Amino acid sequence: LWAPTNNINGSIPTEIFALTDLTILSLYNNSLTGTLPSQLGALTFLETVALEGNTLVGTLPTELAQLTGLFYLDVQSNTFTGTFPTELGQLTELRYFYATINLFNGTLPNEWGQLVALQGLFVGQNGLIGTLPTEFGQLTSLLDLMVNDNYLEGTLPTEYGKLTSLLRVHLENNAFTGTLPTETIQWSNAREIVFSWNNFTGSVDDILCASDRGWDNLQGDCLAATNDQSEILCECCTSCCNVDGEDCRAM
């Protein structure tokens, strides 16, 4: 069912749930309201669910875990709330999960470390708290890790050094602390790492500046803050911010 950008309003029609052989449900950029019905889990042949850019509310139903062939799930730019279901860790075929710009809260489930096929995790601009699960170090197919603009804290797990396929990492505007683990030197394919507006400290020169690779975007808190001290030393950053969140400059 392919009906994006059609100004469809109201709730998701219940008639859809009679289409038991449905493989694609694409209703993005409409004016849908209401919740995401649990009956969606009965459409077990679904491979793609694209609901971006509506005004859907409520929580993600745990029944989504019944869609064992699902490889693309996009619920970004809605008004979803609540915590992420731990049951989604059962979707071992899932390649991309988009959930940015919602009102999700709580922590990232440890169980999602079982999503071994996952290539893109986009959960920025929500209200997530807690630390990054060490179990995510098992997501070795991951290309994009986007957890920016939340309330995440703690250190970056050393286990993330195993994510050698990473191309883009966005950690900005959280409350992460400590130094970037030396293991991140193994992110040799990465071309974009943004870790500004956190509480990281120390130097990343030996980790991220050791090679002569070109960065598309490498941004940290390497400008002086109000106390005239920079939080991060980064000789190869393409732009530097101060930890106060008041300034960023191209270098």
Side-chain angles (χ1 to χ4, degrees):
L1 177 60
W2 186 272
T5 319
N6 272 296
N7 201 30
I8 301 171
N9 54 38
S11 58
I12 295 176
T14 57
E15 290 81 3
I16 288 176
F17 306 120
L19 305 174
T20 54
D21 293 330
L22 199 65
T23 59
I24 296 175
L25 178 61
S26 183
L27 298 171
Y28 63 87
N29 292 343
N30 280 291
S31 301
L32 293 170
T33 57
T35 60
L36 188 57
S38 60
Q39 296 97 310
L40 190 65
L43 302 179
T44 54
F45 288 99
L46 275 175
E47 298 176 350
T48 297
V49 174
L51 300 170
E52 172 193 356
N54 285 286
T55 318
L56 296 169
V57 299
T59 59
L60 293 184
T62 58
E63 288 80 2
L64 287 174
Q66 299 171 22
L67 307 178
T68 54
L70 192 68
F71 68 81
Y72 185 93
L73 176 59
D74 187 349
V75 297
Q76 65 185 323
S77 298
N78 279 282
T79 320
F80 286 112
T81 56
T83 58
F84 286 126
T86 60
E87 291 83 356
L88 295 188
Q90 301 172 31
L91 300 176
T92 54
E93 297 298 319
L94 192 65
R95 302 293 197 277
Y96 295 95
F97 179 48
Y98 295 88
T100 56
I101 315 176
N102 277 286
L103 299 173
F104 290 113
N105 54 49
T107 60
L108 287 165
N110 297 338
E111 291 81 356
W112 288 10
Q114 302 169 41
L115 300 175
V116 292
L118 196 66
Q119 297 181 23
L121 179 61
F122 301 82
V123 293
Q125 293 178 261
N126 281 287
L128 301 176
I129 61 172
T131 58
L132 290 175
T134 58
E135 290 82 356
F136 283 15
Q138 302 170 39
L139 305 179
T140 53
S141 296
L142 206 59
L143 303 176
D144 293 289
L145 176 62
M146 307 293 188
V147 299
N148 53 285
D149 297 282
N150 283 289
Y151 302 97
L152 298 168
E153 59 186 6
T155 59
L156 191 64
T158 58
E159 289 83 354
Y160 284 30
K162 301 174 185 176
L163 306 181
T164 55
S165 296
L166 279 172
L167 299 177
R168 288 167 290 275
V169 180
H170 277 248
L171 307 171
E172 72 268 23
N173 201 19
N174 281 287
F176 292 120
T177 56
T179 58
L180 284 189
T182 56
E183 288 81 359
T184 56
I185 198 172
Q186 299 175 71
W187 295 353
S188 57
N189 293 314
R191 289 295 175 267
E192 182 171 322
I193 301 177
V194 181
F195 58 104
S196 51
W197 296 337
N198 281 287
N199 297 312
F200 288 121
T201 57
S203 173
V204 299
D205 290 351
D206 291 340
I207 303 171
L208 301 180
C209 304
S211 67
D212 58 357
R213 63 178 174 177
W215 287 99
D216 295 333
N217 188 8
L218 180 61
Q219 184 183 91
D221 294 323
C222 39
L223 275 185
T226 53
N227 62 1
D228 295 326
Q229 292 182 347
S230 60
E231 295 290 312
I232 291 288
L233 298 177
C234 180
E235 290 287 339
C236 59
C237 276
T238 61
S239 59
C240 283
C241 304
N242 63 22
V243 74
D244 297 327
E246 296 175 350
D247 194 9
C248 284
R249 303 176 191 172
M251 305 306 290

